[in-house]
Amino acid sequence: MAIVTERALGRWENEGGGLARELRDQFPGVRDWHYLDTAASAQKPQAVLDAMMRAGGEDYATVHRGVYARSANMTLAYEAARRRVAEFIGGREDEIVFVRGATEAINLVAHSFPQKGRILLSQLEHHSNIVPWQLAGYDIDVCPLTADGRIDLDAAEAMLTQDHVLVAFAHVSNVLGSVLDAKRADTLAHQVGAKLLLDGCQAVPRLPVNVAELGCDFYVFSGHKLYGPTGIGALWGRKELLDAMPPYQGGGSMIDRVTFAKTTYAPAPTRFEAGTPAIVEVMGLRAAIDYVDAIGLDAIHAHEAELVRQTREALRSINSITLYGPEDAAGIVSFSMEGVHPHDIGTILDEEGVAIRAGHHCAQPLMEHLGLPATARASFGIYNDESDVAALVRGLERVKRIFG
């Protein structure tokens, strides 16, 4: 099955979004369902499911261990996937660590980074970019937001000092969809000698990312938000930084030599990949990257931007709804309805065949900042189109009728 046809690509370029209708049938989990929760976890195209089936079936063997041909072939495929991930974000293959997801990647950096000290986070961070730093003993400062929900880099500049060893920001907010000016964040961090970690979970599925151009020191993302499988993600780190960091976990594969008296470790990135890796999931991640690249991240971003524009315009006409985040949010629209809890909104929309996210979105400090217990969130993917926006609006009009 062709991932993307030339006819469909032309329709996207000429008509803006037609490709979503053709791609939708390639996602078994979507089809006639109005799935608007891609920011939580993206549906998987058949191409990814097929790649995982092959990797877990006819091609399966362990990697980095067997001397037989299939193991050698799987090892080559596994390391080719590492090169593909590196290419996708503009890094080098010896700078890519495979992890279970962005959460594990941030925990790895938090515990292994040799300088524990002050770190600057922002008010909109996901819990996975807050709790690991607390557990590792960092002193946390919190950068405020601008009125439209962006990380306030003017405030960050005023707050940063020589005492800060790290700055860790979301590249794209999982609640507000606001996009960080990553290059400026890099400049500000490096001016005081701090390193910059970017949480790219919401960025890599919808924006072109090149770590060399961004100038960051660490970049993390999860596969399941990139139309790939759960249980796999990547940490990119500058090689000299990874080499200076001790292992996060111990076990097989990550060693040089083991004795009961002393163990020496393999160089990075191998020293951070203890145990048998997620072989099948790595193959799925590579297939997901190939799938997204075939469509083009510029086209995906433009498509989602148009859906965000349509959604914000439609919801703004419902006078009981309040919108959050900037007008140019990347693929995400968060909102509340006066007098209605987001969980009730989500339940009624589900009855209409529309799936959104309702809750604090693992961002309780941000909810406190907004003065809300929760928001409703619609988030888009490559399989969404105007019919999903229309279904969302119809469902919200029903919610309003029910609650008066």
Side-chain angles (χ1 to χ4, degrees):
M1 177 181 66
I3 292 177
V4 183
T5 67
E6 291 295 328
R7 180 171 61 85
L9 276 173
R11 192 164 68 248
W12 185 308
E13 294 167 355
N14 296 324
E15 299 178 16
L19 180 56
R21 291 186 286 277
E22 182 153 322
L23 291 184
R24 200 179 190 104
D25 286 340
Q26 298 181 17
F27 288 80
V30 183
R31 293 183 179 159
D32 296 327
W33 188 29
H34 299 290
Y35 183 72
L36 298 175
D37 197 21
T38 296
S41 194
Q43 296 289 330
K44 323 305 175 200
Q46 191 64 50
V48 169
L49 301 175
D50 290 346
M52 294 177 68
M53 182 65 72
R54 287 193 302 273
E58 62 197 70
D59 293 343
Y60 185 76
T62 192
V63 299
H64 302 143
R65 290 164 174 80
V67 296
Y68 46 91
R70 190 189 290 187
S71 177
N73 290 337
M74 184 58 90
T75 298
L76 290 173
Y78 182 89
E79 292 304 327
R82 192 190 305 275
R83 289 192 296 276
R84 187 69 179 93
V85 172
E87 175 189 46
F88 183 62
I89 62 169
R92 294 175 4 200
E93 64 181 289
D94 60 356
E95 297 173 325
I96 295 293
V97 181
F98 284 127
V99 287
R100 289 180 298 161
T103 298
E104 183 176 48
I106 295 173
N107 274 275
L108 190 162
V109 176
H111 287 274
S112 293
F113 191 71
Q115 295 174 266
K116 303 295 187 290
R118 301 204 74 80
I119 185 169
L120 182 65
L121 307 178
S122 84
Q123 214 155 22
L124 58 67
E125 299 306 318
H126 190 281
H127 295 165
S128 63
N129 199 25
I130 300 173
V131 180
W133 308 108
Q134 293 173 332
L135 289 172
Y138 288 79
D139 296 315
I140 295 173
D141 293 317
V142 182
C143 182
L145 307 181
T146 61
D148 63 350
R150 305 176 197 272
I151 297 174
D152 188 341
L153 293 181
D154 289 338
E157 184 173 17
M159 296 175 70
L160 282 166
T161 71
Q162 298 290 332
D163 291 333
H164 287 92
V165 297
L166 281 164
V167 175
F169 287 159
H171 195 174
V172 173
S173 167
N174 74 304
V175 179
L176 304 175
S178 48
V179 181
L180 174 72
D181 183 347
K183 289 185 179 180
R184 187 180 177 204
D186 162 67
T187 298
L188 297 179
H190 291 162
Q191 278 178 351
V192 298
K195 304 303 182 186
L196 176 65
L197 179 146
L198 296 177
D199 173 359
C201 282
Q202 300 298 335
V204 292
R206 50 181 54 93
L207 298 172
V209 170
N210 186 303
V211 292
E213 293 178 0
L214 294 177
C216 57
D217 301 287
F218 299 101
Y219 200 94
V220 307
F221 67 92
S222 296
H224 71 103
K225 298 180 192 293
L226 183 62
Y227 307 98
T230 57
I232 190 64
L235 161 66
W236 171 85
R238 295 186 184 278
K239 186 62 162 62
E240 64 272 18
L241 295 177
L242 293 178
D243 283 340
M245 291 163 54
Y248 173 54
Q249 297 175 318
S253 294
M254 47 76 68
I255 56 89
D256 172 38
R257 177 172 171 76
V258 176
T259 71
F260 284 109
K262 181 180 180 180
T263 295
T264 54
Y265 307 114
T270 306
R271 69 170 58 180
F272 299 112
E273 296 182 2
T276 301
I279 301 165
V280 174
E281 288 77 10
V282 165
M283 297 301 107
L285 176 59
R286 176 177 181 167
I289 288 172
D290 288 343
Y291 190 91
V292 166
D293 257 358
I295 299 168
L297 281 158
D298 287 328
I300 292 170
H301 179 55
H303 173 65
E304 292 186 357
E306 174 59 19
L307 294 178
V308 166
R309 186 197 65 77
Q310 292 177 19
T311 301
R312 292 184 70 92
E313 181 178 326
L315 297 192
R316 195 176 285 113
S317 68
I318 304 174
N319 58 18
S320 58
I321 285 181
T322 300
L323 293 164
Y324 304 97
E327 291 297 313
D328 62 350
I332 293 170
V333 178
S334 279
F335 61 94
S336 61
M337 180 179 282
E338 185 178 359
V340 187
H341 194 282
H343 289 171
D344 294 322
I345 296 174
T347 299
I348 295 170
L349 288 176
D350 185 43
E351 294 172 356
E352 298 294 309
V354 180
I356 65 163
R357 179 55 54 108
H360 55 64
H361 316 295
C362 295
Q364 288 178 318
L366 175 57
M367 294 298 113
E368 183 177 352
H369 166 73
L370 296 174
L372 300 168
T375 67
R377 182 188 71 188
S379 54
F380 299 101
I382 56 180
Y383 31 64
N384 293 122
D385 61 17
E386 295 87 347
S387 69
D388 298 302
V389 177
L392 172 66
V393 173
R394 286 195 303 271
L396 290 172
E397 288 171 345
R398 181 179 173 224
V399 173
K400 187 175 180 180
R401 289 195 301 271
I402 290 172
F403 284 89

